[in-house]
Amino acid sequence: MSFPLLTATAALPAIGAIATAAVPAARRTAAKWTALVFSLATLVLAGVALARFEPGGDRYQLTESHAWIKDFGVRYELGVDGIGVALIALTALLIPFIVLAGWHDADPLVTKSSRWRPTQGFFALILMVEAMVILSFEATDVFLFYVLFEAMLIPMYFLIGGFGDRAHTGSDENAAAQRSYAAVKFLLYNLVGGLIMLAAVIGLYVVAGTFSLSEIAEARANGSFSMATSTERWLFLGFFFAFAVKAPLWPLHTWLPNAMGEATAPVAVLITAVVDKVGTFAMLRFCLQLFPEASKWATPVIVVLALVSIVYGALLAVGQRDIKRLIAYASISHFGFIVLGIFAMTSQGQSGATLYMVNHGISTAALMLVAGFLITRRGSRLIADYGGVQKVAPVLAGTFLIGGLATLSLPGLAPFVSEFLVLVGTFSVYPAAGVIATTGIVLAALYVLVLYQRTMTGPVKAEVKGMADLKVREMAVVLPLIALLLFLGVYPKPLTEIVNPAVQHTMSDVQKKDPQPEVEAAK
């Protein structure tokens, strides 16, 4: 029997979560190192999976299949395509940086009289989220995916509500209330989406008689399975609604600014760079593969929603006074680009959308984590409380600038490639939508550069004087991310070679081909 690499990649952080939680209360540093070691070991296994994946080979590779709930036809069925393996690599890459960045985030909660072990709990929850996200990228059984899709909400709820950001301008009671509100809103929005998806999952089983993607694809290929048009559309809407909440897509986005604003910076990265990618990934894996005709039927409306997300998110980012909420609204705009690329249903658009998921994860992690280091030093999230930081902390300011330039998709940095592909793929089928989407680029330049100008340039404010520059641990977090942004910005080929074959499979699912360029005949 071959080694179950996919199971091991997801199980290792889960084991790490248990080991971290079991560390004695007084051994806080040991708990941190335990979490970091397990996250690095998971990165190694994810690297092995990436190395063993063969681009252009079978659609789903490294597969595993075992009976789980026989009476209901549920199987523990795993497999990865190029999109899934790329997102697993992204998740495994970011978690060690999240752990390092949050090294001291739970320390203020430690008290001598309490038996509660906040440090152990904080890092254990992060590892548990990693395990569930990785397994969700691997699941090819719809019911298994649904269980993971919902289960990851529990640790995220506690990370937002129990370990929220302490940099708050109001009273401690008001800060606690805001954290609780953000956590509950996050949970309720995603639970409602999940409940609607559960109804659609049950409906799919009634129609198909199985939860297995491979069995449904095989039955459809040999003509033994088909769905009535109305049934397919209703089931598609049930799945898409849940994924649009998770993504998040306008108008189901309002939980994200609250959650990211009230969470610590590392947890905010965990939300938008890792957990939210499950929503856009699922649109490609489940919506387009299971419901191809319904996906094409819904495309015009979804393209409009994506355009609204792009422009609306960017406009609200321009007007923000809170650094973390600005980055949250920028992420809403970026997720609009991802959804636009998916439903443009061109190979360039979907390749760009998949690259955007990876590149957005890296760029947002770089920007948000540096912002977190800045906020920790000053104790405030308000832009107006900063000024002249580049004169007292030049390395911090420089890395903040590079993270911001990546967020606005500057050529030479990784997000530019993905945004360019999304726009090219959209222009070829929806020229008007492509024109509207480009306004998001202009607005991104505005909110990023204004943010940098107001916080980093100008006279040094009294509260900023004496601010320490980045320390060794903090540079170990940020510099590798910046190096990766530069590398993938000038040489995206390693990613595109993995992703493109999976995109071609998805294009085949929906029976779409790229439009041929129109060339005038010579006179």
Side-chain angles (χ1 to χ4, degrees):
M1 182 184 240
S2 60
F3 179 70
L5 182 57
L6 297 186
T7 294
T9 306
L12 194 57
I15 296 169
I18 297 170
T20 302
V23 173
R27 305 290 299 275
R28 298 196 304 274
T29 302
K32 297 173 184 179
W33 279 105
T34 300
L36 182 60
V37 168
F38 272 95
S39 67
L40 290 171
T42 303
L43 177 58
V44 171
L45 279 185
V48 173
L50 190 62
R52 289 185 56 186
F53 184 83
E54 298 179 7
D58 294 339
R59 178 169 191 172
Y60 292 114
Q61 300 179 32
L62 309 176
T63 55
E64 302 173 33
S65 183
H66 308 281
W68 182 21
I69 309 174
K70 292 184 179 180
D71 292 342
F72 295 98
V74 180
R75 299 187 64 80
Y76 176 80
E77 196 169 84
L78 308 180
V80 288
D81 59 3
I83 299 169
V85 79
L87 292 175
I88 290 169
L90 171 69
T91 302
L93 173 71
L94 291 181
I95 296 301
F97 296 123
I98 290 172
V99 170
L100 270 178
W103 202 252
H104 299 297
D105 283 1
D107 290 351
L109 299 175
V110 177
T111 59
K112 293 182 180 179
S113 59
S114 176
R115 292 185 178 181
W116 184 46
R117 298 180 294 177
T119 301
Q120 289 84 341
F122 179 72
F123 292 105
L125 290 171
I126 289 174
L127 291 178
M128 190 55 69
V129 172
E130 179 183 20
M132 293 178 183
V133 169
I134 288 176
L135 202 55
S136 70
F137 290 142
E138 298 171 346
T140 56
D141 182 278
V142 177
F143 188 83
L144 174 61
F145 173 83
Y146 169 76
V147 171
L148 298 164
F149 187 83
E150 290 290 85
M152 69 180 68
L153 301 180
I154 300 170
M156 286 306 307
Y157 170 80
F158 289 108
L159 283 170
I160 297 168
F163 299 91
D165 192 355
R166 264 56 189 174
H168 209 284
T169 55
S171 64
D172 290 342
E173 293 78 7
N174 182 58
Q178 290 295 325
R179 290 193 297 271
S180 177
Y181 172 79
V184 171
K185 189 173 184 178
F186 161 82
L187 186 64
L188 289 179
Y189 267 66
N190 284 274
L191 277 178
V192 169
L195 288 173
I196 293 174
M197 180 184 169
L198 176 59
V201 169
I202 295 170
L204 177 67
Y205 181 75
V206 171
V207 173
T210 180
F211 293 112
S212 170
L213 282 179
S214 57
E215 290 181 7
I216 293 174
E218 183 180 352
R220 179 173 273 145
N222 61 33
S224 61
F225 169 70
S226 62
M227 277 188 273
T229 300
S230 59
T231 301
E232 182 175 343
R233 290 178 179 180
W234 280 112
L235 294 179
F236 167 85
L237 290 174
F239 277 78
F240 181 80
F241 182 87
F243 303 152
V245 172
K246 183 83 80 179
L249 185 68
W250 184 91
L252 306 171
H253 67 285
T254 58
W255 63 267
L256 183 66
N258 295 101
M260 288 184 65
E262 297 304 324
T264 63
V267 173
V269 171
L270 189 64
I271 295 170
T272 190
V274 176
V275 173
D276 287 354
K277 298 302 188 299
V278 176
T280 47
F281 163 80
M283 292 179 189
L284 283 164
R285 172 164 286 191
F286 297 103
C287 286
L288 270 61
Q289 185 173 344
L290 292 173
F291 316 110
E293 295 303 319
S295 297
K296 290 186 283 188
W297 162 75
T299 288
V301 174
I302 295 173
V303 166
V304 171
L305 294 178
L307 292 174
V308 174
S309 288
I310 292 169
V311 178
Y312 174 84
L315 284 173
L316 264 65
V318 171
Q320 288 304 305
R321 297 181 297 171
D322 183 310
I323 297 173
K324 291 167 71 177
R325 288 179 70 90
L326 184 152
I327 299 172
Y329 279 110
S331 290
I332 291 170
S333 181
H334 296 150
F335 275 103
F337 276 105
I338 295 171
V339 175
L340 180 64
I342 292 171
F343 283 90
M345 293 193 186
T346 59
S347 58
Q348 298 98 329
Q350 292 190 355
S351 293
T354 305
L355 292 178
Y356 215 131
M357 290 186 231
V358 175
N359 294 334
H360 170 265
I362 301 169
S363 62
T364 298
L367 181 61
M368 179 61 86
L369 293 178
V370 177
F373 298 147
L374 178 68
I375 292 167
T376 299
R377 284 160 167 74
R378 174 65 178 83
S380 172
R381 306 196 312 246
L382 297 180
I383 297 171
D385 288 341
Y386 296 88
V389 174
Q390 67 181 12
K391 296 178 182 177
V392 296
V395 177
L396 189 155
T399 53
F400 189 82
L401 177 61
I402 296 174
L405 294 176
T407 297
L408 64 81
S409 299
L410 183 76
L413 295 173
F416 170 76
V417 179
S418 43
E419 197 164 277
F420 179 77
L421 284 173
V422 167
L423 290 174
V424 168
T426 303
F427 268 116
S428 64
V429 287
Y430 303 112
V435 171
I436 296 171
T438 55
T439 61
I441 301 175
V442 178
L443 292 171
L446 180 61
Y447 62 69
V448 168
L449 296 178
V450 169
L451 171 64
Y452 184 83
Q453 179 189 38
R454 291 178 178 176
T455 55
M456 302 295 166
T457 65
V460 180
K461 290 199 172 184
E463 297 83 359
V464 172
K465 289 181 179 178
M467 178 179 288
D469 212 337
L470 292 184
K471 300 174 183 177
V472 174
R473 172 181 60 85
E474 295 166 333
M475 286 192 287
V477 170
V478 179
L479 295 183
L481 294 173
I482 290 175
L484 200 54
L485 288 171
L486 291 168
F487 175 76
L488 293 176
V490 298
Y491 190 64
K493 185 179 178 181
L495 264 180
T496 57
E497 285 185 339
I498 293 170
V499 164
N500 286 344
V503 167
Q504 293 305 319
H505 283 299
T506 305
M507 292 285 289
S508 177
D509 289 334
V510 292
Q511 298 179 349
K512 296 284 283 187
K513 295 183 179 179
D514 291 330
Q516 297 298 316
E518 297 180 4
V519 181
E520 293 185 6
K523 294 182 181 180

